[in-house]
Amino acid sequence: MRPPSKYLIPLFITCLGAVQVLCQSLELEKAFSMYQQNLSQVHNQEVYNSIKLAQDKALRAGRLPQISFIAEGRIQSESTSLDIENLPFDIDLDIPLYNARGYIEAKYAILDGGRSKLQYQQNQQDYKGNLLKVEELKHESKQPIINLFLGIKTLRQQSQLIDISLENIQAREAVIEAAVEEGVTLASEQDKLVLRRIELESRKSSVNLEVKGLIQTLSFLIDSTLDNTIEINLPTMMTALPDQILRPELDQIDHAKQQLLLQSDIAESERKPRLIAFIQGGLGHPNPLNPLDSETSPYALAGFQFVWPIID
């Protein structure tokens, strides 16, 4: 059963009034949040989080044993050939000029010179640098909102002072008018007050237009419709103590120093020795391990590889 329309109209008016009450004031921190939601660069933090997760996953995978299938072949200008006569048995060895093999190889880095650890630190530093860029953008984005809030506050105070001046002029006009009628004061004094009142009224209209323009600019930045009579609330001075003032540029300088130190460590790790264990198993023609076997043969081998760059 649908409710009667006579109940819907008051309900709509009540809800509308609630919305208007919520829009009667705007806090500075709320305006910061609304403005930053419209900055696409701020949302890059989610992208940076995904990149870091992918880099960490790839780094962990790099520390696992690497298994590969490898196929290779070559042809050469000469090969082993042996044909010796006058022996109690025949020897006829003729290795072909070409060879080919396919095999599966597993490798595991036992020692990597600290490269994995430094790469992880590099990923952490890159992630921190990206977050610092986002924080710096948030910090810089606050200044336009602060300027608008201060501008609106200042102009509204000027409007209030103009109203006080207009009230004083109206009171003086009544006194001057009575004095002119009594012949005590010249009519020119009354004309001066009229001109002053017109000047103040013109100034008030100009101030109101400026306030309206600033509010429209603020509405555009935070992507929300604001009424011209909205109350703008600035935080008290106690919330902006010197030890609470953010200096993102100092964090950027500190991050740059850490990056330089890390790059030095990475360059040094490239000259450290590495120890790699490997195992192979496959099929080759001729036999890759037995030079006397010229037929297609399976083979297997295992060993270690030690690499130490001395001069680069």
Short mmCIF file of all heavy atoms in Angstrom, two decimals, residues 6 14 25 62-63 66 101-102 111 119 130 172 179 202 240 247 267-268 289:
data_model
loop_
_atom_site.label_atom_id
_atom_site.label_comp_id
_atom_site.label_asym_id
_atom_site.label_seq_id
_atom_site.Cartn_x
_atom_site.Cartn_y
_atom_site.Cartn_z
N LYS A 6 0.12 13.29 0.83
CA LYS A 6 0.15 14.39 1.79
C LYS A 6 1.20 14.14 2.88
O LYS A 6 1.63 15.09 3.55
CB LYS A 6 -1.24 14.59 2.41
CG LYS A 6 -1.69 13.39 3.26
CD LYS A 6 -3.05 13.68 3.87
CE LYS A 6 -3.52 12.50 4.75
NZ LYS A 6 -4.83 12.81 5.37
N THR A 14 11.33 17.89 5.33
CA THR A 14 12.18 17.60 6.49
C THR A 14 13.57 17.14 6.07
O THR A 14 14.58 17.59 6.61
CB THR A 14 11.52 16.52 7.37
OG1 THR A 14 10.22 16.95 7.75
CG2 THR A 14 12.37 16.24 8.60
N SER A 25 27.71 24.93 7.28
CA SER A 25 29.08 25.23 7.71
C SER A 25 30.04 24.27 7.02
O SER A 25 29.66 23.18 6.59
CB SER A 25 29.20 25.12 9.22
OG SER A 25 28.97 23.79 9.65
N GLY A 62 62.50 -14.54 -7.42
CA GLY A 62 63.88 -14.57 -7.89
C GLY A 62 64.80 -15.34 -6.98
O GLY A 62 65.88 -15.80 -7.41
N ARG A 63 64.44 -15.50 -5.72
CA ARG A 63 65.27 -16.25 -4.77
C ARG A 63 64.97 -17.75 -4.81
O ARG A 63 65.70 -18.53 -4.22
CB ARG A 63 65.03 -15.71 -3.35
CG ARG A 63 65.60 -14.34 -3.10
CD ARG A 63 67.11 -14.36 -3.19
NE ARG A 63 67.68 -15.25 -2.15
CZ ARG A 63 68.86 -15.82 -2.26
NH1 ARG A 63 69.60 -15.65 -3.34
NH2 ARG A 63 69.31 -16.60 -1.27
N GLN A 66 65.66 -21.57 -10.14
CA GLN A 66 65.23 -21.25 -11.49
C GLN A 66 65.33 -22.50 -12.36
O GLN A 66 66.40 -23.11 -12.49
CB GLN A 66 66.10 -20.13 -12.08
CG GLN A 66 66.17 -18.87 -11.21
CD GLN A 66 64.81 -18.20 -11.10
OE1 GLN A 66 64.11 -18.01 -12.09
NE2 GLN A 66 64.45 -17.85 -9.87
N ARG A 101 71.71 -30.16 -28.63
CA ARG A 101 71.23 -30.76 -27.38
C ARG A 101 70.08 -29.94 -26.83
O ARG A 101 69.98 -28.74 -27.07
CB ARG A 101 72.35 -30.86 -26.35
CG ARG A 101 72.98 -29.54 -25.94
CD ARG A 101 73.95 -29.73 -24.80
NE ARG A 101 74.65 -28.50 -24.48
CZ ARG A 101 75.33 -28.31 -23.35
NH1 ARG A 101 75.37 -29.27 -22.44
NH2 ARG A 101 75.96 -27.17 -23.14
N GLY A 102 69.25 -30.61 -26.09
CA GLY A 102 68.16 -29.97 -25.36
C GLY A 102 68.15 -30.51 -23.95
O GLY A 102 68.29 -31.72 -23.74
N LEU A 111 74.86 -17.94 -2.78
CA LEU A 111 75.33 -16.62 -2.34
C LEU A 111 75.14 -15.65 -3.49
O LEU A 111 75.54 -15.95 -4.62
CB LEU A 111 76.81 -16.67 -1.94
CG LEU A 111 77.19 -17.55 -0.74
CD1 LEU A 111 78.70 -17.57 -0.57
CD2 LEU A 111 76.52 -17.05 0.53
N GLN A 119 68.17 -5.09 -3.24
CA GLN A 119 67.07 -4.84 -4.16
C GLN A 119 65.76 -4.61 -3.40
O GLN A 119 64.94 -3.77 -3.78
CB GLN A 119 66.92 -6.00 -5.13
CG GLN A 119 65.87 -5.78 -6.21
CD GLN A 119 66.16 -4.57 -7.06
OE1 GLN A 119 67.27 -4.41 -7.57
NE2 GLN A 119 65.17 -3.70 -7.24
N ASN A 130 57.65 7.50 -3.63
CA ASN A 130 56.35 7.75 -4.26
C ASN A 130 55.33 8.26 -3.24
O ASN A 130 54.53 9.16 -3.55
CB ASN A 130 55.84 6.46 -4.90
CG ASN A 130 56.67 6.05 -6.10
OD1 ASN A 130 57.23 6.89 -6.80
ND2 ASN A 130 56.76 4.75 -6.36
N ARG A 172 23.69 59.52 12.25
CA ARG A 172 24.14 60.92 12.08
C ARG A 172 23.23 61.67 11.11
O ARG A 172 23.02 62.88 11.25
CB ARG A 172 25.58 60.94 11.59
CG ARG A 172 26.59 60.46 12.63
CD ARG A 172 28.00 60.60 12.11
NE ARG A 172 28.30 61.98 11.76
CZ ARG A 172 29.40 62.37 11.10
NH1 ARG A 172 30.26 61.43 10.68
NH2 ARG A 172 29.62 63.63 10.83
N ALA A 179 19.29 69.16 12.48
CA ALA A 179 20.09 70.39 12.62
C ALA A 179 19.89 71.30 11.43
O ALA A 179 19.87 72.54 11.57
CB ALA A 179 21.56 70.02 12.78
N SER A 202 28.14 50.96 -2.02
CA SER A 202 28.80 50.44 -3.23
C SER A 202 29.94 49.50 -2.87
O SER A 202 30.12 48.44 -3.49
CB SER A 202 29.32 51.60 -4.06
OG SER A 202 30.05 51.13 -5.18
N ALA A 240 47.96 24.58 15.36
CA ALA A 240 49.04 24.79 14.39
C ALA A 240 50.32 25.18 15.12
O ALA A 240 50.95 26.17 14.82
CB ALA A 240 48.66 25.88 13.38
N ARG A 247 56.78 19.52 7.14
CA ARG A 247 57.77 20.00 6.19
C ARG A 247 58.13 18.87 5.24
O ARG A 247 59.13 18.18 5.42
CB ARG A 247 59.02 20.50 6.93
CG ARG A 247 58.79 21.68 7.85
CD ARG A 247 58.44 22.94 7.06
NE ARG A 247 59.49 23.28 6.15
CZ ARG A 247 60.57 24.00 6.49
NH1 ARG A 247 60.72 24.42 7.73
NH2 ARG A 247 61.49 24.28 5.59
N ALA A 267 76.22 -0.65 -5.90
CA ALA A 267 77.40 -0.70 -6.76
C ALA A 267 78.49 -1.58 -6.16
O ALA A 267 79.18 -2.33 -6.87
CB ALA A 267 77.93 0.71 -7.00
N GLU A 268 78.64 -1.54 -4.85
CA GLU A 268 79.63 -2.38 -4.18
C GLU A 268 79.24 -3.85 -4.24
O GLU A 268 80.11 -4.74 -4.37
CB GLU A 268 79.78 -1.92 -2.73
CG GLU A 268 80.86 -2.66 -1.97
CD GLU A 268 81.01 -2.17 -0.54
OE1 GLU A 268 80.36 -1.15 -0.20
OE2 GLU A 268 81.76 -2.80 0.24
N LEU A 289 78.97 -35.45 -23.09
CA LEU A 289 79.94 -35.76 -22.03
C LEU A 289 80.98 -36.81 -22.46
O LEU A 289 82.07 -36.84 -21.90
CB LEU A 289 79.19 -36.25 -20.78
CG LEU A 289 78.13 -35.30 -20.20
CD1 LEU A 289 77.52 -35.90 -18.94
CD2 LEU A 289 78.71 -33.92 -19.94
#
